Amino acid sequence: MIPSKITPSMMCADLARLPETLSVFAEEGIEYLHIDVMDGHFVNNLCLGTDFCRQMRRMSEIPLDLHLMIEAPEDRLSWFELREGDAVSVHAEATRQLQRALDRIADAGAKPIVAINPATPLSAIEEVLPMLHAVLVMTVSPGYAGQKLVESTINKIRRLRMMLDERGYENVRIEVDGNV
């Protein structure tokens, strides 16, 4: 069994206390900082962009877990100065070139992750399973904090774990995002 990890979302962090917060995270062994990047197109919200990511890199050695809720992420990955050890999620629904996006993430030394919305079937990711470090299952519609959990996603997570294990991808992690 893969051990559970907590990756704190920086979207709701108190910016006035950010250095103190990051220090506590480092002391407690937090392995990733979850950064929600939204473009106002794929989702109707704007949140945390490239400048915020650069600031986080200056303030902390903790790798980033970039959740890119942006259209055509394969064309925008260079904006984020990916580093070895970072994790990067791209939405299956946000690109017509999912394999290309995942290849570019891996080529940068980061860990490729595909994110899927609550209504997206697991079949949407079958062909890219060999490329994945993880699958990010959204348990709310992406774009806004504080939404109610879509209850059907709990069973979807179970079915995903079974699918991964049955196909020999026991080491592929499952991330869960939204009202956790």
Side-chain angles (χ1 to χ4, degrees):
M1 179 175 209
I2 300 172
S4 297
K5 296 182 181 192
I6 295 175
T7 304
S9 174
M10 302 310 295
M11 182 169 73
C12 299
D14 181 349
L15 296 179
R17 299 182 61 205
L18 198 52
E20 176 187 341
T21 300
L22 292 172
S23 178
V24 170
F25 287 167
E27 289 171 17
E28 295 298 323
I30 293 295
E31 295 183 53
Y32 290 98
L33 300 174
H34 187 83
I35 312 288
D36 288 307
V37 178
M38 302 177 206
D39 66 359
H41 297 282
F42 177 65
V43 296
N44 291 330
N45 199 2
L46 289 170
C47 190
L48 308 181
T50 55
D51 290 336
F52 183 83
C53 294
R54 281 188 204 97
Q55 291 298 325
M56 295 304 295
R57 291 200 190 283
R58 287 186 198 121
M59 297 173 72
S60 176
E61 295 293 318
I62 301 172
L64 302 183
D65 174 17
L66 296 169
H67 180 190
L68 302 181
M69 291 173 268
I70 62 176
E71 287 185 3
E74 65 277 7
D75 297 332
R76 293 164 177 82
L77 290 168
S78 63
W79 297 356
F80 295 95
E81 301 172 6
L82 302 181
R83 294 186 182 171
E84 191 164 331
D86 286 344
V88 182
S89 303
V90 294
H91 275 263
E93 310 87 356
T95 177
R96 291 181 289 170
Q97 300 293 335
L98 182 57
Q99 184 171 349
R100 181 178 297 158
L102 297 169
D103 279 338
R104 288 181 178 168
I105 292 166
D107 289 347
K111 298 172 183 173
I113 300 171
V114 65
I116 53 176
N117 289 342
T120 301
L122 295 177
S123 61
I125 63 170
E126 287 181 281
E127 301 303 323
V128 297
L129 291 177
M131 307 173 73
L132 299 179
H133 171 74
V135 177
L136 172 59
V137 178
M138 293 298 300
T139 55
V140 299
S141 293
Y144 293 96
Q147 297 179 64
K148 182 180 177 191
L149 175 89
V150 176
E151 297 210 18
S152 64
T153 59
I154 301 302
N155 185 45
K156 183 180 196 173
I157 294 164
R158 264 191 223 102
R159 289 185 296 115
L160 174 59
R161 182 75 270 158
M162 287 174 42
M163 181 176 93
L164 292 170
D165 292 349
E166 289 170 359
R167 295 180 184 194
Y169 300 107
E170 298 89 358
N171 291 328
V172 173
R173 296 180 173 276
I174 297 175
E175 291 188 11
V176 178
D177 187 354
N179 198 349
V180 177

